[in-house]
Amino acid sequence: MKRLAPTFLVVFALTSSLVLTGCGSSTKTPTPKPSPTVSAVAMAAPQDCLKTKVLDALRTAVPNAKYIPTKWQPAPGTELGDVLGNGGIACSYGLQSEAIGLTVRWVSNSKMLFEANESKWLADGYQVVDIPNLNESKAYFKQRDQSATQEFSIYSINYLINGNWIGLNSTFGKTIADGAAWISAATASLV
């Protein structure tokens, strides 16, 4: 009887080991991949001016604002030429009869178009700024009031965000805060 007990324990241990091994899976459980963050998600310029969020944002300041269809014919080497020549889009909104409104341009920065314009913007009097409540990579802003030598006021901002260059020009506004709703809407219009 003394010999039987140790043999029984060895057989029990081996059987238990085999049974427990058989309960497991021979395939590896895949390791879950983390979801991409917002900054890692590729975003693109909108493809339709009527499907952006800009017009609704502009209507808070200009209640009767409309989309202004424009047949662009940009000169080569201009910002507009860079945007439209590289799959981007330019959209104007406002009251055309009163010359009140804004134009927004969106284009992928895959060809470093934004960086190609930086020295020109600085030479033209743009300032490097940080846009409040926006996680842009870089931004350049210029504002000039209407004067005897300048027919319209200038409000212009160019910023780089989510791999896209967004340019916004308006016939009114003095500070970045004045255009916060338009800037936010232009950014939210990326798809």
Side-chain angles (χ1 to χ4, degrees):
M1 190 74 179
K2 288 182 182 180
R3 282 184 158 292
L4 193 56
T7 306
F8 174 79
L9 289 176
V10 170
V11 170
F12 178 77
L14 286 173
T15 306
S16 298
S17 173
L18 290 172
V19 168
L20 290 175
T21 303
C23 291
S25 171
S26 62
T27 60
K28 283 182 120 179
T29 304
T31 306
K33 294 181 181 176
S35 303
T37 61
V38 172
S39 61
V41 174
M43 303 198 82
Q47 296 300 306
D48 186 332
C49 294
L50 293 172
K51 292 183 180 177
T52 73
K53 299 176 184 323
V54 177
L55 185 55
D56 287 338
L58 179 60
R59 284 182 176 151
T60 61
V62 184
N64 296 321
K66 295 182 180 356
Y67 163 63
I68 303 168
T70 308
K71 294 190 184 219
W72 302 108
Q73 295 179 349
T78 62
E79 289 178 25
L80 184 58
D82 286 347
V83 169
L84 298 179
N86 287 284
I89 188 172
C91 305
S92 292
Y93 309 92
L95 297 175
Q96 192 169 13
S97 61
E98 296 180 33
I100 296 173
L102 60 95
T103 297
V104 184
R105 301 175 317 269
W106 295 265
V107 69
S108 167
N109 195 45
S110 61
K111 294 184 180 176
M112 308 295 280
L113 299 170
F114 184 90
E115 291 80 1
N117 282 286
E118 287 181 287
S119 60
K120 184 184 82 164
W121 293 327
L122 290 170
D124 286 347
Y126 282 74
Q127 298 176 338
V128 177
V129 295
D130 178 38
I131 302 171
N133 305 313
L134 195 67
N135 195 21
E136 81 281 358
S137 301
K138 286 184 178 179
Y140 292 86
F141 176 68
K142 179 179 181 177
Q143 191 280 331
R144 298 284 184 267
D145 288 328
Q146 184 178 5
S147 68
T149 59
Q150 185 170 298
E151 186 177 358
F152 296 102
S153 67
I154 296 172
Y155 180 100
S156 181
I157 189 157
N158 290 284
Y159 60 102
L160 185 60
I161 189 163
N162 295 329
N164 291 275
W165 165 22
I166 299 175
L168 191 144
N169 293 35
S170 174
T171 59
F172 63 101
K174 292 191 179 287
T175 67
I176 292 175
D178 291 341
W182 317 322
I183 294 166
S184 178
T187 303
S189 296
L190 292 170
V191 293

